[in-house]
Amino acid sequence: MTAWLKCATPRPEAEHRLICFPHAGGSPSFFHPWAAGLPSYEIHAVCYPGRAARLAEPPPTELLTMAAEIADAVRPLLGGRPVAFLGHSMGAVVAYETARVLEADGHRISHLFASGARAPQLPHPEGSKASDLDDDAVADALASLGGTDAELLADPEVRELILPYVCGDYRMFDAYVHRPGPALSCDVTAIAADGDPLVAPSQVADWAAVTGGRFTLHTVPGDHFYLTPNPPYPLVEAALASGAVPSGG
């Protein structure tokens, strides 16, 4: 298995594969419960460099370069069973750019779920850029959203270990610039949380512009990390059941 993809519970009999892309500062363990929550699916989680089993590698610095490398890892899974992508926050944009690379090569995925993320073509919000903040400020900003365990970041030894990839992700995402190009052909489901302090539902709704397929917007209760206490399993199952198509070329 490639270093990019982790599948804790292989299910060769499953009709669908779902590849999950973590948020900035996230690792595959964030999606570990999803195999139990979606027992009819084979769940793969993307492992970005610099964390988990890839801790010795330097954190990524270019989102588009990383997306192209993830696309290389995904290609062997295409063909036959439908393959859908789900990304949360930064992970939604990484999933989108990975899907763009695959479609440019004549491949396609069956569905893209964009969770807790403003549409990629929208300008960055005004305010301090990540490049203007020191590591402690970046880590504290991410911890305040709930995605990176605040208790872990409070431990000096652990903080020293995880700061490189937490801050690297944040700065990489901050530097991302959307490039015009063809719309995706797959269906897109966008999920917004009504209490998200970072992303407004109207910004999530603008994902409609990046696909020529069907678009659906769901607004759910919660904050930026609504999916920690309430993973959207029924929503994913319903969307994939209604429009599953084989992935590949």
Side-chain angles (χ1 to χ4, degrees), residues 97-121:
E97 289 292 353
T98 302
R100 294 181 90 185
V101 172
L102 293 170
E103 289 207 352
D105 288 345
H107 301 286
R108 67 168 299 185
I109 61 169
S110 65
H111 207 105
L112 171 65
F113 294 90
S115 166
R118 66 175 52 82
Q121 75 277 15

Side-chain angles (χ1 to χ4, degrees), residues 83-140:
V83 175
F85 287 176
L86 181 146
H88 181 68
S89 197
M90 180 192 81
V93 177
V94 179
Y96 163 72
E97 289 292 353
T98 302
R100 294 181 90 185
V101 172
L102 293 170
E103 289 207 352
D105 288 345
H107 301 286
R108 67 168 299 185
I109 61 169
S110 65
H111 207 105
L112 171 65
F113 294 90
S115 166
R118 66 175 52 82
Q121 75 277 15
L122 296 182
H124 291 271
E126 295 181 0
S128 297
K129 294 181 66 66
S131 58
D132 299 329
L133 303 175
D134 62 25
D135 286 357
D136 288 338
V138 170
D140 290 343

Side-chain angles (χ1 to χ4, degrees), residues 4-6 20 22 26-33 45-48 51-53:
W4 286 102
L5 300 175
K6 305 300 177 185
C20 300
S27 64
S29 62
F30 183 78
F31 289 105
H32 184 75
V46 176
C47 184
Y48 309 136
R51 72 219 64 203

Side-chain angles (χ1 to χ4, degrees), residues 23-24 88-90 115-119 122-126 128 141-142 144-147 170 173 192-204 222-225:
H23 53 282
H88 181 68
S89 197
M90 180 192 81
S115 166
R118 66 175 52 82
L122 296 182
H124 291 271
E126 295 181 0
S128 297
L142 289 175
S144 69
L145 295 172
Y170 192 69
F173 190 32
D194 58 10
D196 191 334
L198 189 64
V199 183
S202 61
Q203 295 172 318
V204 180
D223 57 20
H224 189 63
F225 281 93

